Amino acid sequence: MNHLFDRLFATGGADAPAIVVGDETLTYAGLEAETAGWANALVAVGVGPGNRVAVQVEKSVAGLALYLAAVRAGAVFLPLNPAYTPTEVGYFLADAEPALFVCDPARREALAAIAGRARIETLGKEGEGSLAGLAAGSPAVFATLPRAAGDLAAICYTSGTTGRSKGAMLTHRALASNAATLKDLWRFTASDVLIHALPIYHVHGLFIATHVTLMAGAAMIFQPRFDAGTVLAAMPHATAMMGVPTFYTRLLDHPGLTREAVAGMRLFVSGSAPLLAQTHRAWTTRTGTEILERYGLTETGMNASHPYGGPRLPGSVGRALPGVSVRIVDDSGGAGLPPGETGIVQVKGPNVCAGYWRDEAKTAAAFTADGWFRTGDLGRLDDDAYLWLVGRSTDLIISGGLNVYPAEVEAAIDALPGVTESAVIGLPHPDFGEAVTAVVVGTPDLEAGAIATALESRLAGFKRPRRILFAAELPRNAMGKVTKAALRAAHATLYQPTDG
């Protein structure tokens, strides 16, 4: 048995729709045949069990079939963001040493110099390319290679916000167990139709959205990218959507978002970046539905989720998933903390990665002596076991010896009239060590003095920003997370003495 692939294709009926693109529908039988052709192509170019297959291509059904074929052929899939430069791709290829590197035909020449010993084949977004041609000419049957639960299915590199990216080793067990848990928790069945507008080089779109849908025998409306109008047009034909917070803010800006437009939708999921409580409330007011937020990491898949039938508390990420444990510990001695106290979030469960690729030191540092994974996130559990995240441990601000959690300050600022969103960072300060600083996006009439005055009754003095800056937008990575490292670098000298 191929632990992951066989479980993904265990439910869907042969003639049931699996993927819908425009007016075309690919059934489960058709998708299985498609993956067979790609798997035969992989074997033909020398890919064997355990070999890495690095892929940097635009989103397409062929790209998704290639991923499934790699799993089916016993290979280890390595998805790469199409926006990565040749220099960045070169690092990943040198580290992972794939047997095969698949890229867009237009980029082959530019990337050939950094491919190392990897064989290069191509796949374009319209289904063209050398590997695509080989797959099209290959048999539509393939003897799926058996893989055990503990075998690697993928290596996904972290975003590298604190140094060079690390390759999280994701096993068949981790991916399959997470999908099965979420399928049940979110009540996916064969009658569901998911709007899939996420990229497929990331855990959210490649694993969570795809795996949950396939394992339920459901269908997905496969869209090349997010467009608010296109998503709204698909809603009458769908029942669920998974997205990042930006999806929801852009939909809220669209006049077509009404209660009638979402009448057939039973589930909206948000993740990959924090969803502002005000966005959650605005969505509920506008549509009469509540967004379900969940919490996950590249290294763990999903760890927590709002309950399907229980309270979805704005600002929280819900409770630990069935089979997954979450605890909050002191960031100095590692002692467990009671409900209400903020500390480091640690998780444990079958969803957690097997460590970092060829990096024993970082793997050892990522796990506690008793086997818990150190997420690097700061959070607290309330009395009902709901998890509330307050930021990354690397974003913690220590000002004058006192801890300031950015999320608390951001929540206070975001609640003010005229504020769209904010990011709070710590900047070097000669007296305080770090100074609390806010970067705010909002209406043109916003004034720093008015914000500062409003915060006086909301936050203790040491938590209030010493400076309030304004920006047209906040810098973000590919999945919509605000890149605070970029903000800190841009304003690093704000409080430093000037000569003269």
Side-chain angles (χ1 to χ4, degrees):
M1 174 184 179
N2 185 296
H3 189 79
L4 176 59
F5 184 85
D6 289 342
R7 292 186 67 180
L8 292 179
F9 281 79
T11 303
D15 296 327
I19 302 177
V20 179
V21 180
D23 296 329
E24 298 183 3
T25 297
L26 187 65
T27 65
Y28 272 85
L31 180 58
E32 194 275 341
E34 185 94 356
T35 65
W38 283 100
N40 281 311
L42 291 176
V43 172
V45 297
V47 173
N51 287 162
R52 276 76 63 202
V53 175
V55 177
Q56 188 191 34
V57 298
E58 297 294 336
K59 182 179 181 180
S60 67
V61 173
L64 183 61
L66 173 57
Y67 156 64
L68 294 169
V71 174
R72 190 174 186 183
V76 180
F77 195 74
L78 172 57
L80 297 173
N81 187 336
Y84 284 146
T85 65
T87 299
E88 291 169 315
V89 173
Y91 167 75
F92 298 125
L93 299 187
D95 192 58
E97 294 187 317
L100 174 67
F101 173 45
V102 184
C103 66
D104 188 278
R107 301 191 72 195
R108 189 189 191 285
E109 185 175 346
L111 292 169
I114 52 89
R117 289 179 290 180
R119 175 166 176 159
I120 302 182
E121 298 288 345
T122 60
L123 168 62
K125 63 181 179 181
E126 301 301 328
E128 75 279 17
S130 61
L131 192 63
L134 188 57
S138 296
V141 293
F142 181 80
T144 304
L145 274 67
R147 300 303 281 169
D151 288 334
L152 293 189
I155 296 174
C156 289
Y157 281 82
T158 62
S159 57
T161 55
T162 56
R164 296 309 295 261
S165 297
K166 300 168 290 187
M169 299 187 292
L170 304 176
T171 64
H172 283 246
R173 176 191 297 109
L175 296 176
S177 67
N178 214 214
T181 297
L182 294 172
K183 173 183 70 72
D184 293 341
L185 186 69
W186 295 342
R187 303 182 187 179
F188 268 79
T189 69
S191 62
D192 275 305
V193 179
L194 176 79
I195 298 174
H196 193 308
L198 292 160
I200 58 170
Y201 57 78
H202 186 270
V203 168
H204 195 170
L206 184 61
F207 301 145
I208 306 305
T210 300
H211 289 176
V212 169
T213 303
L214 295 179
M215 197 172 281
M220 64 182 91
I221 298 174
F222 207 67
Q223 300 182 344
R225 66 190 61 83
F226 174 81
D227 176 81
T230 306
V231 166
L232 283 166
M235 285 188 186
H237 313 288
T239 63
M241 185 182 83
M242 299 183 195
V244 297
T246 305
F247 285 18
Y248 296 101
T249 57
R250 290 181 181 174
L251 284 167
L252 282 166
D253 288 338
H254 196 288
L257 182 69
T258 63
R259 294 190 176 219
E260 293 73 24
V262 306
M265 299 286 288
R266 69 169 187 86
L267 180 63
F268 291 98
V269 178
S270 180
S272 296
L275 180 75
L276 294 178
Q278 68 189 58
T279 302
H280 186 286
R281 296 188 185 101
W283 182 271
T284 301
T285 299
R286 179 88 161 267
T287 69
T289 65
E290 283 190 300
I291 296 171
L292 182 150
E293 192 167 9
R294 85 301 181 278
Y295 163 57
L297 299 167
T298 299
E299 294 95 334
T300 65
M302 296 306 103
N303 301 307
S305 168
H306 283 159
Y308 185 85
R312 300 179 188 175
L313 305 180
S316 83
V317 291
R319 300 186 177 108
L321 299 183
V324 178
S325 299
V326 174
R327 71 181 183 185
I328 308 296
V329 302
D330 180 81
D331 59 358
S332 56
L337 296 175
E341 292 197 25
T342 297
I344 301 293
V345 180
Q346 296 182 350
V347 301
K348 193 175 189 180
N351 56 310
V352 179
C353 71
Y356 295 112
W357 175 254
R358 291 179 176 171
D359 200 326
E360 293 182 4
K362 288 180 180 177
T363 297
F367 290 88
T368 65
D370 55 348
W372 291 73
F373 181 77
R374 297 183 169 102
T375 67
D377 288 319
L378 292 166
R380 59 181 171 83
L381 291 168
D382 64 19
D383 290 333
D384 294 319
Y386 276 71
L387 177 62
W388 301 75
L389 299 176
V390 300
R392 295 286 295 170
S393 58
T394 52
D395 293 332
L396 174 68
I397 302 168
I398 303 177
S399 184
L402 299 173
N403 289 355
V404 179
Y405 300 106
E408 180 184 5
V409 184
E410 289 162 356
I413 296 173
D414 293 342
L416 299 177
V419 174
T420 302
E421 61 178 340
S422 64
V424 172
I425 56 176
L427 295 176
H429 191 281
D431 295 326
F432 298 100
E434 286 185 299
V436 180
T437 307
V439 183
V440 178
V441 178
T443 56
D445 59 339
L446 276 175
E447 295 181 353
I451 293 175
T453 299
L455 294 178
E456 289 178 0
S457 61
R458 292 170 166 82
L459 296 170
F462 73 92
K463 298 177 182 179
R464 296 199 293 269
R466 295 189 65 81
R467 292 283 297 274
I468 297 171
L469 311 175
F470 294 96
E473 60 182 6
L474 299 177
R476 284 183 157 81
N477 66 15
M479 292 309 295
K481 292 182 181 179
V482 174
T483 51
K484 291 190 174 181
L487 287 175
R488 286 191 289 266
H491 302 290
T493 62
L494 186 65
Y495 298 98
Q496 300 308 300
T498 56
D499 295 336

